[in-house]
Amino acid sequence: MNFIAWTIVACEIGFWVVIGAGLLARYVFRQKTLGLVLLALTPVIDLVLLVIAGIDLANGATATTAHAIAAVYIGVSIAFGKSMIQWADERFRYYIAKQGEKPTKRYGMAYAKHYMIGWARHLAAYAIGAGLLLLTHWLVGDASRTEALLGTARIWTMVVGIDFLIGVSNFIWPKREKSAA
């Protein structure tokens, strides 16, 4: 794996470590301010990844799939970051801190609506990530060096479309609760 790929891995690990540390500070050590500060550091991780990938390309590197995934990661992190933190917070609060209500599972139309909200976030992530891919392609100005970026954008376009069709299918064939046998 190349340097950018390892940077993405490090940023993903850092993202979850910061969230875990923030939740521990908040619920186990009762340090709400420290917990909030730690949780607020998650966008800094995105900035680090953006700067490192940008410097690499500015120094003449040919864009790889790892560079493209960095843009995808940033888009997903921005669009889903708050909801991922809320998801982790609810589960940590209930399962680890033994506080609050058990997270509920959704079925039927509630699931379908929730899925489409997730799809809207996916669309926002796509707009951010694909925008970064196209901007980088334009800034580099050398199609031979940015081929991987455009290829990733094309694949992601198909994935967003398929995700939309899955979302619509949830309204046609709603998810049912598993019956106790």
Side-chain angles (χ1 to χ4, degrees):
M1 271 195 331
N2 66 25
F3 178 71
I4 295 300
W6 282 113
T7 303
I8 293 167
V9 170
C11 286
E12 182 66 12
I13 291 168
F15 177 82
W16 288 107
V17 165
V18 167
I19 288 175
L23 295 174
L24 277 171
R26 179 184 279 181
Y27 294 112
V28 175
F29 300 114
R30 306 272 188 241
Q31 299 291 319
K32 292 191 185 267
T33 304
L34 176 60
L36 181 62
V37 168
L38 288 166
L39 293 172
L41 285 176
T42 56
V44 174
I45 295 168
D46 296 337
L47 183 61
V48 167
L49 179 59
L50 183 64
V51 168
I52 289 172
I55 289 171
D56 192 43
L57 291 171
N59 286 336
T62 297
T64 64
T65 302
H67 289 90
I69 290 172
V72 171
Y73 175 88
I74 290 166
V76 169
S77 184
I78 291 170
F80 285 93
K82 183 178 178 185
S83 64
M84 284 191 288
I85 291 170
Q86 286 175 326
W87 177 89
D89 186 69
E90 287 174 0
R91 276 137 191 88
F92 191 95
R93 189 175 342 115
Y94 180 76
Y95 292 109
I96 307 296
K98 305 295 183 197
Q99 301 172 11
E101 295 180 24
K102 183 176 182 176
T104 58
K105 293 188 180 221
R106 294 177 180 87
Y107 301 98
M109 287 300 128
Y111 177 82
K113 289 175 186 175
H114 182 73
Y115 192 98
M116 288 308 286
I117 291 168
W119 177 81
R121 284 190 181 109
H122 187 182
L123 186 62
Y126 170 78
I128 294 164
L132 286 170
L133 292 170
L134 295 174
L135 177 65
T136 303
H137 169 73
W138 178 75
L139 288 172
V140 170
D142 182 354
S144 66
R145 286 183 46 216
T146 59
E147 200 173 302
L149 303 181
L150 297 180
T152 299
R154 282 190 290 276
I155 291 169
W156 199 2
T157 301
M158 288 187 293
V159 169
V160 170
I162 292 167
D163 193 25
F164 176 74
L165 294 175
I166 292 169
V168 170
S169 77
N170 287 315
F171 287 97
I172 300 168
W173 300 286
K175 181 179 176 181
R176 295 181 186 176
E177 187 171 0
K178 294 177 185 172
S179 60

